[in-house]
Amino acid sequence: MANFAKPDGPRFAVDVYQNEYLPEGGREVNAIVTVTSTGGGTVGATGAGNAATAPAAAVVLMVDASGSMDYPPTKMRNARDATAAAIDALRDGTRFAVVAGTHVAKEVYPGGGRVAVADGTTREQAKHALRGVGAGGGTAIGTWLRLADTLLAGADVSIRHGILLTDGRNEHEDPADLKAALDACAGRFTCDARGVGTDWEVKEVTGIASALLGTADIVADPEDLAADFTRMMENVMGKEVADVSLRVWTPDGTTIRFLKQVAPSVEELTGRRTEAGPRTGDYPTGAWGDESRDYHLCVEVPAAGIGQEMLAARVSLVVLQGDGTVRNLGEQGLVRAVWTEDVEASTSLNPQVAHYTGQAELSRAIQQGLDLRKRGDIDGATARLGRAVQLARESGNADTAKLLAKVVDVVDAATGTVRLKAKVAEADEMTLETRSTKTVRVTK
Amino acid sequence: MSQMPQQTAPSKCPSCAEPLEPGDLFCGACGHDLSAGPQDHATLMMRDALAMEAGPEAARETTPEAGPEPAGEGVGWPSAERGSSSAGPAAHLPTDLAGTDSGGRTLAGGAHAQQAAETSSGVRFDRPGPGEEYPLQAPDPRSAPDHPDTVPTELLCVACRAGRVDGDGYCENCGHAQPRERDHLERESGPVAAVSDRGLRHHRNEDFFSIGHTALPDGTPAALAVVCDGVSSATRPDEASAAAARTAGEVLLAALPRGTHPQQAMHEAIVAAAEAVDALAGEPVSAREHTPHQNSPACTIVGAVVTPGLLVVGWVGDSRAYWVPADRSAPAARLTEDDSWAAQMVAAGLMSDAEAYADERAHAITGWLGADAYELEPHTASFKPDRPGTVLVCTDGLWNYAETAEEMAAVLPSDATGRPLHAARVLVGHALDGGGHDNVTVALLPFPAPPEGAGSA
């Protein structure tokens, strides 16, 4: 349908929400930049649906096959079933491969350092090959990622993605090795990471997803794996353009205090800048389908007199192409600074900025609270988690509020008065930690 | 000081009335060149200036009488009126400007002759009638100021002088917003002049004005000015003031030549301006969808129409009109009554003038043009001044620095009639010198409306 009319992929709209008014001497400009990509609409399509128009994609499924996956045995079985479900969700024509991960990475399907092209036959072959995967050995996730990178690099596609499932800690590899593997893979493919059960390390899984611009989550009950894998695969199939960067121009004399994605989850981007010309930097955002994300940009500008106006930033979306050139995607958003003596104007908080400032603090409060709790600092943990409860209530983040209520007894949400629960299910605590970066958007 | 020096050298600047020291070559306030003219400026200046005005005007009076007639009586009027409302005033700007400038600057010698020459050439240009007017009416005078702003030929940033200016008006190096056309506007139309300035403390100019001159059905001249002040707390106040001022000006320029009574025309103009501002609120601007809580665009309005015998003012809000007689010994007067909190307090006898205007709520207005206005109550008033003088319409950005009629009269240069544009600049300068806390806009009209030589195109 309309897809045929857009050979260049989705269109990006950039909306800026800010209070541009600063008091005399004011130097900090905050803005929420909402980026919305439209024009694709292939989310949820499976099978042959949009094969004709969708861009070519390649997916590598990395399944933990370490010895611990057999305790209980249902875990390995569920992982196989989930991978099979993901394979079923592959659109015809998509390149794919399955990797079993232990202390080394092993190709399960198709083998030979290649990827297969999804169709009825290859899907059945892959599922058949999966049945031969047994549990045994250690865990060295860096080796899995490097193999995935090799396989994906060999595919002539525009969208490269990995899905990684683990149930344990990355014990058979130095943390520096995983870090080096992530650095090597960053920008080459995107990757979703899932922890199954409760024996894995939250920071490892979220770190992988963060470095590779994917999502992280817990699948506490192996029974739920298949549904989650199907959702992830559908999400990948909906991607239409990869290697999209947020390009930010800021004038001479200004400093970017921070740039972070704030919806659908908090992701710090400040340190990921690559210079892209005078006063211009690019921040990676990965692949996009039909979706909308929010970014919080904070710029420090030189103080100016009352009545002055300046542009604090231009924000646009660019796609970095293989030949090193850059394609602009849609219009740009302008972040302005206007100095006024109208106190009412300069002191009012933009609702979006206030909302996401609170959401970012909520995420921080949860992580700090859980860290303090692990270290036995009960007072500190109570204070931080109490603040989190208060913020979750204020910003209407009901999901996070529910997760918090499994870790603390809420006495009064409005004031943030809580008591730590004496007994907390490990899965509940890990779920809270993994999902602490999830945000909700401003209620309109 | 004695009267002697006054006769040999002016004791006050003929341009801005600043007291002078004997031996001054230039005015310390406005920089007026005091050596240029004869010594008896201070007293004779005005009458002579008026005589000067009357001179060429009288000469023109005969020509325009011939002028409108070729354009057609009766049936021909509408087209003539349209011409004068669109390009007419601008078309006459060069000749009028040259005439008044030289008239105001020097009274004798070569300049006089030159001025006379310019005036007569101006008359000749008008005389051939419509055919010759179109070249003059070409949009050059209006579009010319636009072009330098919009054509990005190597524009350097005014702030850092290093960066080029991007298409949207910001420096690509330091990000500073570049001056916009509306930051400072100056216009002349026949005997009317207006100046609008962003001021020193606001980031944009939310005031706007329109001025014009035309002829009544009986051929007598009429001049008009409309000044609007956007309400800053509303959305897009700059668009509101522009829409209101343009609409009101167009309505007056259309209604007066038709014979509508000026007071009725003023009422209609304000109603039409209000409708134009209301219409802005209905426009589906995407920015509005994001900020639905912001209120509708709104502005104040004040307008004046002068004819040979009548002075009409109309207003909504706290923009004002003042009357300053040419003979400064006669009292000046404020012609409008603010729709403001302070004015209501004073009117109700609850506060003194001083108390009310010292209150921080003083400038809260109780009437405005805009979709969220309670009920539109255009105020209009007619006057029949018994002597010549100047009608001054302005926004509070000016009258904050000259609140009473006496104060306003004191800052209005004595040659305002002869050099209205210069006088308007002086008034704006007065507000800027005082701090320029708001946008400043003022328009000046002479009463009686001088016979319109170049007049109705």
Side-chain angles (χ1 to χ4, degrees):
Chain A
M1 296 199 304
N3 285 346
F4 293 106
K6 49 157 205 78
D8 290 326
R11 288 227 308 267
F12 284 74
V14 178
D15 291 305
V16 174
Y17 302 88
Q18 68 163 146
N19 175 18
E20 64 268 41
Y21 294 105
L22 298 177
E24 186 149 32
R27 301 192 59 184
E28 190 179 285
V29 182
N30 283 283
I32 298 300
V33 179
T34 296
V35 179
T36 307
S37 92
T38 49
T42 52
V43 173
T46 56
N50 282 298
T53 53
V59 182
V60 172
L61 293 149
M62 290 162 271
V63 189
D64 194 337
S66 59
S68 59
M69 287 294 283
D70 256 348
Y71 303 96
T74 49
K75 203 150 67 175
M76 192 68 237
R77 198 172 66 230
N78 280 313
R80 277 195 298 261
D81 290 350
T83 308
I87 290 168
D88 281 333
L90 283 166
R91 188 169 53 213
D92 274 2
T94 305
R95 316 303 197 267
F96 76 103
V98 181
V99 169
T102 58
H103 53 286
V104 292
K106 209 176 78 186
E107 290 176 64
V108 175
Y109 184 84
R114 294 174 293 109
V115 289
V117 178
D119 60 26
T121 312
T122 55
R123 277 195 283 264
E124 286 312 310
Q125 288 172 344
K127 284 186 277 186
H128 182 77
L130 264 178
R131 281 178 219 133
V133 176
T139 307
I141 294 173
T143 63
W144 315 354
L145 293 169
R146 286 183 187 276
L147 176 58
D149 183 32
T150 307
L151 294 170
L152 289 167
D156 180 22
V157 293
S158 56
I159 291 167
R160 297 181 175 83
H161 190 76
I163 290 177
L164 185 148
L165 175 74
T166 183
D167 82 320
R169 294 179 177 81
N170 195 39
E171 286 169 333
H172 300 88
E173 173 177 75
D174 194 275
D177 292 339
L178 176 57
K179 171 81 168 57
L182 287 173
D183 287 346
C185 296
R188 295 172 58 82
F189 65 95
T190 53
C191 186
D192 294 321
R194 293 292 183 268
V196 62
T198 55
D199 293 328
W200 48 281
E201 188 63 49
V202 172
K203 286 188 173 58
E204 273 173 14
V205 169
T206 55
I208 292 164
S210 174
L212 300 181
L213 303 167
T215 62
D217 205 355
I218 180 171
V219 186
D221 185 349
E223 293 282 341
D224 297 334
L225 264 181
D228 187 49
F229 265 52
T230 305
R231 260 199 311 279
M232 264 191 291
M233 188 59 83
E234 285 171 351
N235 190 35
V236 177
M237 296 293 99
K239 298 295 181 190
E240 315 202 2
V241 53
D243 294 328
V244 176
S245 288
L246 200 64
R247 173 160 289 188
V248 180
W249 170 93
T250 46
D252 209 31
T254 58
T255 313
I256 294 185
R257 283 209 181 145
F258 62 79
L259 172 66
K260 52 188 159 193
Q261 178 184 290
V262 287
S265 62
V266 179
E267 193 66 66
E268 184 63 58
L269 294 173
T270 316
R272 297 202 190 175
R273 176 184 175 107
T274 47
E275 294 303 318
R279 299 172 287 282
T280 305
D282 286 345
Y283 299 83
T285 67
W288 289 67
D290 271 17
E291 61 188 295
S292 182
R293 306 182 198 173
D294 292 344
Y295 298 88
H296 185 165
L297 175 64
C298 179
V299 183
E300 186 178 306
V301 297
I306 296 294
Q308 298 283 306
E309 177 188 342
M310 73 178 287
L311 192 62
R314 291 177 192 278
V315 180
S316 59
L317 277 296
V318 297
V319 70
L320 308 168
Q321 290 170 320
D323 57 1
T325 60
V326 163
R327 185 158 57 90
N328 275 300
L329 304 166
E331 81 259 46
Q332 57 182 350
L334 303 185
V335 178
R336 301 189 310 138
V338 175
W339 283 266
T340 179
E341 56 193 349
D342 181 345
V343 177
E344 202 180 320
S346 62
T347 55
S348 77
L349 270 179
N350 175 277
Q352 269 88 352
V353 171
H355 174 80
Y356 284 123
T357 303
Q359 294 274 292
E361 190 193 342
L362 169 60
S363 167
R364 255 192 330 273
I366 291 171
Q367 286 162 22
Q368 289 168 349
L370 292 177
D371 283 350
L372 291 168
R373 187 176 173 279
K374 279 176 205 160
R375 276 189 254 138
D377 181 348
I378 301 303
D379 287 348
T382 306
R384 295 313 293 150
L385 293 174
R387 174 66 180 149
V389 166
Q390 190 181 22
L391 287 165
R393 177 182 183 273
E394 281 171 7
S395 61
N397 195 333
D399 288 346
T400 301
K402 256 182 250 165
L403 296 176
L404 276 164
K406 291 180 179 171
V407 177
V408 296
D409 288 320
V410 178
V411 179
D412 181 10
T415 59
T417 312
V418 301
R419 272 190 298 270
L420 294 191
K421 279 188 192 292
K423 262 189 74 178
V424 175
E426 200 160 19
D428 289 336
E429 187 178 344
M430 289 176 74
T431 305
L432 176 61
E433 189 175 357
T434 309
R435 296 183 183 168
S436 64
T437 58
K438 291 264 188 299
T439 57
V440 291
R441 303 193 101 161
V442 181
T443 45
K444 295 274 156 92
Chain B
M1 295 284 157
S2 68
Q3 286 144 345
M4 278 302 289
Q6 207 168 7
Q7 301 215 311
T8 51
S11 66
K12 283 161 113 190
C13 171
S15 167
C16 71
E18 174 83 1
L20 298 174
E21 297 293 334
D24 277 358
L25 296 178
F26 296 91
C27 169
C30 72
H32 187 83
D33 185 352
L34 303 169
S35 64
Q39 280 69 17
D40 50 358
H41 259 163
T43 45
L44 297 178
M45 172 65 196
M46 221 175 60
R47 205 171 299 146
D48 271 13
L50 286 174
M52 284 304 302
E53 279 295 311
E57 233 70 68
R60 280 186 216 164
E61 208 168 9
T62 56
T63 37
E65 228 124 70
E69 271 155 16
E73 283 180 324
V75 190
W77 274 110
S79 64
E81 143 228 319
R82 200 174 303 126
S84 71
S85 72
S86 59
H92 296 294
L93 192 149
T95 49
D96 284 353
L97 182 57
T100 41
D101 262 11
S102 47
R105 193 178 300 136
T106 48
L107 302 169
H112 197 146
Q114 183 195 344
Q115 185 251 350
E118 279 170 2
T119 309
S120 60
S121 72
V123 171
R124 267 188 222 119
F125 270 113
D126 282 340
R127 200 160 189 176
E132 183 89 35
E133 277 164 14
Y134 285 104
L136 279 173
Q137 286 179 346
D140 304 5
R142 273 172 197 220
S143 51
D146 293 342
H147 277 302
D149 289 346
T150 50
V151 178
T153 44
E154 288 303 308
L155 280 179
L156 270 191
C157 172
V158 298
C160 70
R161 304 210 171 272
R164 282 184 305 105
V165 176
D166 278 310
D168 45 19
Y170 295 101
C171 171
E172 54 92 49
N173 178 54
C174 74
H176 273 91
Q178 303 300 302
R180 302 176 176 107
E181 194 194 353
R182 269 181 80 168
D183 285 357
H184 186 87
L185 297 171
E186 296 189 355
R187 294 280 189 277
E188 270 191 308
S189 174
V192 194
V195 175
S196 181
D197 195 276
R198 183 174 66 125
L200 303 176
R201 308 289 273 180
H202 282 227
H203 74 288
R204 69 178 166 194
N205 190 356
E206 294 164 359
D207 287 357
F208 207 73
F209 64 80
S210 69
I211 56 175
H213 63 294
T214 181
L216 303 178
D218 64 2
T220 57
L224 61 98
V226 179
V227 167
C228 294
D229 179 354
V231 175
S232 293
S233 58
T235 26
R236 299 179 287 147
D238 50 335
E239 291 176 36
S241 60
R246 284 201 183 102
T247 304
E250 284 164 11
V251 168
L252 287 170
L253 276 173
L256 294 171
R258 274 202 303 266
T260 310
H261 186 277
Q263 192 166 1
Q264 178 62 27
M266 181 60 75
H267 183 92
E268 289 169 5
I270 294 176
V271 170
E275 284 165 0
V277 177
D278 289 0
L280 292 176
E283 279 174 18
V285 176
S286 64
R288 284 172 46 78
E289 292 163 16
H290 300 314
T291 50
H293 61 283
Q294 290 194 316
N295 42 19
S296 316
C299 66
T300 70
I301 189 167
V302 59
V305 172
V306 290
T307 70
L310 199 62
L311 157 58
V312 167
V313 295
W315 74 97
V316 174
D318 68 348
S319 295
R320 291 182 175 178
Y322 291 86
W323 162 249
V324 182
D327 174 4
R328 294 302 172 85
S329 61
R334 172 145 67 87
L335 306 178
T336 54
E337 198 63 53
D338 298 345
D339 290 320
S340 75
W341 182 89
Q344 286 196 340
M345 285 294 124
V346 174
L350 295 173
M351 282 176 138
S352 74
D353 244 40
E355 284 170 338
Y357 283 98
D359 194 285
E360 60 176 11
R361 293 164 288 184
H363 284 258
I365 55 173
T366 54
W368 61 86
L369 308 184
D372 57 357
Y374 298 111
E375 197 168 312
L376 180 65
E377 282 183 64
H379 317 288
T380 59
S382 284
F383 303 89
K384 288 187 174 162
D386 58 357
R387 64 196 74 205
T390 297
V391 183
L392 187 161
V393 291
C394 65
T395 59
D396 60 346
L398 173 61
W399 66 250
N400 277 332
Y401 301 100
E403 203 274 313
T404 65
E406 294 71 34
E407 288 167 331
M408 192 63 85
V411 290
L412 179 71
S414 53
D415 64 347
T417 309
R419 303 170 69 199
L421 181 59
H422 173 262
R425 284 182 190 142
V426 169
L427 290 169
V428 168
H430 174 77
L432 297 181
D433 289 346
H437 272 76
D438 201 349
N439 307 140
V440 192
T441 302
V442 60
L444 299 175
L445 308 88
F447 178 87
E452 196 46 70
S456 49

